[in-house]
Amino acid sequence: SDAENWYCECPKLYTGKLCQFATCNENPCGNGATCFPKSRRDAVCLCPYGRSGILCNDALKITQPSFSGTDVFGYTSFLAYSAIPNITFYYEFHLKFQLANHHSALQDNLIFFTGQKGQGLNGDDFLELGLRSGRVVYSYNLGSGTATIISKPLDLTLNIHVIHLGRNLQEGWLKVDDQKNKTVTSPGRLVGLNVFSQFYLGGYREYTPELLPKGPRFKNGFQGCIFDVQVLTSINEGFKSPGTPEGHPNSGRSVGQCKDSPCSIIKCRNGGKCVESGSTVYCDCLTGWKGAFCTETVSVCEPEHDPPHLCKQGGTCVPLPHGYTCHCPLGTTGTYCEQG
């Protein structure tokens, strides 16, 4: 069959080509947020860069971005800057970061990434920095093999970590905090880094990092704050922030301001719990409640009511003051329309 001729008939409440979206069909989210069905009855808005709040309607000024790692829906928080020009033969990066907690240092966390296409096949050029098992990992591939430097374990008593790294042709170097400078030479003959993707900070836009080259398969987004990212690509130019205009990302998702907590201003009702992920915030409701602040009850006839109603064979559930009744279609009878 022709690739585009099929479609799914979605049950009530669901939309999308694969029936993957519930309650997002009349997308309630503002400002281009990603709408995601957090349950069969409610959506969550994953806020784009510079926005916060339940529907992402609140403006948020970000001077020190805080990243929340990978959320329960599988999305990473990230910032994307325009591709960094002139890093083919020479670059230096400076940046500082603060970990959300000690546990986050031990995961596979991406700090930054740029690649040939951003969905690299094996052998694609890339440059990336991340944390793995409490150590900083710096890798690059100029097209003839991957070079990797792994730092000593981070001193977790330090509040802020400082990273300097660079590359000149095949020679790379990494300096972390007060550790000794480490160097590496990339294998093969190629000397130029050819990357055209955006410069990703803290995570990826893609839903799955499987799209990225085998080397930088960092599974999680960074958890904590990253600040003062600076890059130098020629000795006569001096360090600059990434982005066009300088320091401005093109896009981002679920990125907060360091030390801010969106849950401090959200009050979930009826036992609901506030969940925050960078600038994204929502109420996780107890059974029987729904809505942005858990203030609406789930009707006995709604498909997500627990337990579900028992009307069979296309019977229509009609709520009563106590319980419900089933209106049966022609040709059926019984309390639940169960008889022919």
Side-chain angles (χ1 to χ4, degrees):
S1 74
D2 172 33
E4 287 302 310
N5 272 351
W6 61 273
Y7 66 97
C8 295
E9 266 191 21
C10 300
K12 201 171 133 137
L13 285 182
Y14 285 80
T15 62
K17 187 146 183 173
L18 304 170
C19 304
Q20 73 276 41
F21 293 118
T23 63
C24 280
N25 42 357
E26 287 100 33
N27 184 349
C29 306
N31 298 300
T34 305
C35 181
F36 196 89
K38 77 171 181 214
S39 70
R40 295 193 38 189
R41 55 181 177 271
D42 272 328
V44 169
C45 302
L46 309 180
C47 296
Y49 175 73
R51 292 282 167 180
S52 181
I54 294 240
L55 297 177
C56 305
N57 287 333
D58 309 337
L60 176 67
K61 184 166 165 48
I62 296 175
T63 52
Q64 297 186 330
S66 90
F67 298 89
S68 45
T70 308
D71 65 26
V72 293
F73 312 112
Y75 286 97
T76 58
S77 64
F78 76 92
L79 289 178
Y81 296 87
S82 48
I84 295 178
N86 313 327
I87 61 172
T88 314
F89 301 115
Y90 179 86
Y91 58 73
E92 285 181 52
F93 283 89
H94 286 179
L95 63 95
K96 298 181 187 132
F97 67 83
Q98 190 171 20
L99 294 165
N101 50 52
H102 287 186
H103 173 67
S104 67
L106 302 175
Q107 297 181 326
D108 262 3
N109 287 347
L110 180 87
I111 298 175
F112 71 60
F113 169 83
T114 179
Q116 203 151 356
K117 305 182 188 63
Q119 43 188 44
L121 308 162
N122 251 355
D124 269 3
D125 291 19
F126 68 81
L127 157 66
E128 55 100 35
L129 182 71
L131 284 178
R132 187 168 280 141
S133 310
R135 299 166 186 261
V136 175
V137 181
Y138 162 39
S139 292
Y140 56 91
N141 188 336
L142 308 179
S144 53
T146 300
T148 300
I149 303 177
I150 300 175
S151 78
K152 287 197 171 117
L154 288 171
D155 174 355
L156 295 178
T157 62
L158 294 171
N159 185 22
I160 291 185
H161 300 278
V162 180
I163 297 184
H164 292 175
L165 62 89
R167 191 191 112 252
N168 184 24
L169 304 177
Q170 289 179 287
E171 308 295 321
W173 56 271
L174 169 71
K175 179 156 175 45
V176 175
D177 296 331
D178 297 330
Q179 299 180 16
K180 280 232 273 299
N181 196 18
K182 287 186 140 183
T183 59
V184 70
T185 303
S186 60
R189 300 226 170 130
L190 298 176
V191 297
L193 176 72
N194 298 295
V195 289
F196 313 113
S197 87
Q198 298 187 97
F199 179 75
Y200 290 99
L201 193 65
Y204 307 111
R205 160 171 282 126
E206 282 90 0
Y207 194 72
T208 43
E210 279 67 54
L211 292 169
L212 295 149
K214 284 280 187 290
R217 188 73 53 86
F218 280 88
K219 292 183 198 60
N220 302 301
F222 186 80
Q223 291 176 287
C225 302
I226 303 177
F227 23 84
D228 303 344
V229 180
Q230 301 271 295
V231 58
L232 167 120
T233 52
S234 113
I235 298 292
N236 351 349
E237 293 236 318
F239 279 90
K240 283 196 176 126
S241 304
T244 321
E246 196 186 333
H248 288 260
N250 297 340
S251 64
R253 178 174 55 224
S254 298
V255 172
Q257 167 70 349
C258 203
K259 309 241 186 324
D260 271 10
S261 160
C263 273
S264 60
I265 51 171
I266 299 288
K267 296 281 175 280
C268 305
R269 310 285 180 198
N270 301 307
K273 185 164 115 278
C274 183
V275 180
E276 60 184 35
S277 177
S279 60
T280 293
V281 62
Y282 64 93
C283 293
D284 198 12
C285 305
L286 291 177
T287 305
W289 296 96
K290 65 175 186 173
F293 301 99
C294 308
T295 49
E296 301 162 50
T297 52
V298 177
S299 143
V300 63
C301 284
E302 288 181 59
E304 64 273 3
H305 187 269
D306 195 7
H309 68 78
L310 300 171
C311 302
K312 303 266 188 295
Q313 309 195 63
T316 308
C317 176
V318 179
L320 299 171
H322 302 287
Y324 62 94
T325 183
C326 300
H327 280 190
C328 300
L330 208 59
T332 68
T333 183
T335 314
Y336 302 117
C337 315
E338 74 279 15
Q339 298 161 27

